[in-house]
């Protein structure tokens, strides 16, 4: 039902349309970087409700531990998936409609009490952060991922130091 990348998937990436792929690839890059096996598929809350429910219902049994969901417009996809699984669901609002993602931000974020969706920023930054949050969740029981996250944080800091130095020297 989904394309598998890097062994038995522990993270599922679901998006509402293939037009969401360029945004969701940011999540894939991070999971690849941390060597976290994942699967990718398309499903829509509105166009393929049965496929969406099947995916969500089978996710835990198939070994997934976190689900990352990106969708645009009236983005109910993350919420529908969250309603059918006990796994943590991370939602990414995608800026694909004329409302530039404000519509999907609200429909992803404003879940009724009892069914949480951890909602990220709109677009690419959100997709990247969704994958980092997924790695952080998995790291709770993986010393290896904890170390990798610490190294990642250090790299972020180093990059800022290097750029600041570049500006100081007039190289940037
Ligand atoms: C949503 O509608 C998708 O997640 C996508 O962001 C948006 C537009 O989909 P397409 O018309 O490009 O397939 O369901």
């Amino acid at each position: 039902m989904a394309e598998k990348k890097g062994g038995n998937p522990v993270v599922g990436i679901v998006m509402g349309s293939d037009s969401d792929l360029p945004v969701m690839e940011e999540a894939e890059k991070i999971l690849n970087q941390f060597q976290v096996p994942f699967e990718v598929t398309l499903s829509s809350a509105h166009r393929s409700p049965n496929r969406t429910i099947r995916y969500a219902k089978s996710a835990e049994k198939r070994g997934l531990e976190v689900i990352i969901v990106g969708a645009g417009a009236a983005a109910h996809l993350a919420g529908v998936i969250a309603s059918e699984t006990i796994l943590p669901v991370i939602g990414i609002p995608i800026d694909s409609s004329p409302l530039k993602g404000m519509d999907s931000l609200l429909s992803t974020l404003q879940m009724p009490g009892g069914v949480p969706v951890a909602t990220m920023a709109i677009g690419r930054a959100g997709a990247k952060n969704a994958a980092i949050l997924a790695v952080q969740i998995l790291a709770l029981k993986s010393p290896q991922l904890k170390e990798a996250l610490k190294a990642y944080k250090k790299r972020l800091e180093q990059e800022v130091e290097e750029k600041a130095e570049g500006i100081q020297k007039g190289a940037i």
Side-chain angles (χ1 to χ4, degrees):
M1 162 170 219
E3 187 192 354
K4 292 186 183 169
K5 302 196 178 182
N8 283 342
V10 289
V11 176
I13 297 181
V14 189
M15 62 199 92
S17 167
D18 57 346
S19 65
D20 299 328
L21 252 175
V23 171
M24 299 305 286
E25 274 166 2
E26 294 298 320
E28 295 191 29
K29 277 188 215 161
I30 291 288
L31 296 177
N32 279 326
Q33 194 178 317
F34 283 92
Q35 296 179 346
V36 169
F38 61 97
E39 62 175 32
V40 183
T41 195
L42 301 186
S43 199
S44 164
H46 307 100
R47 294 169 178 161
S48 63
N50 294 325
R51 178 179 170 80
T52 300
I53 300 290
R54 263 201 321 273
Y55 183 89
K57 280 194 163 157
S58 64
E60 193 197 345
K61 242 187 281 165
R62 289 184 297 106
L64 297 186
E65 296 183 32
V66 185
I67 307 178
I68 294 174
V69 184
H76 299 304
L77 184 58
V80 168
I81 290 181
S83 73
E84 295 288 355
T85 181
I86 57 146
L87 298 176
V89 174
I90 308 173
I92 303 138
I94 294 184
D95 44 340
S96 54
S97 83
L99 295 182
K100 309 283 180 221
M102 286 309 292
D103 41 0
S104 38
L105 173 65
L106 294 178
S107 47
T108 306
L109 178 70
Q110 288 295 110
M111 288 296 293
V115 188
V117 170
T119 304
M120 303 289 107
I122 298 170
R124 286 172 192 272
K128 183 173 186 174
N129 284 345
I132 296 168
L133 182 58
V135 174
Q136 288 172 327
I137 293 170
L138 297 171
L140 292 174
K141 52 173 195 176
S142 163
Q144 220 175 321
L145 284 179
K146 267 187 196 146
E147 286 313 307
L149 281 167
K150 284 177 191 164
Y152 172 77
K153 289 273 191 204
K154 260 194 201 142
R155 274 204 307 284
L156 286 185
E157 196 170 357
Q158 264 165 13
E159 276 170 26
V160 174
E161 298 279 0
E162 281 164 21
K163 285 179 187 165
E165 217 171 293
I167 285 179
Q168 217 166 329
K169 288 180 180 159
I172 296 178

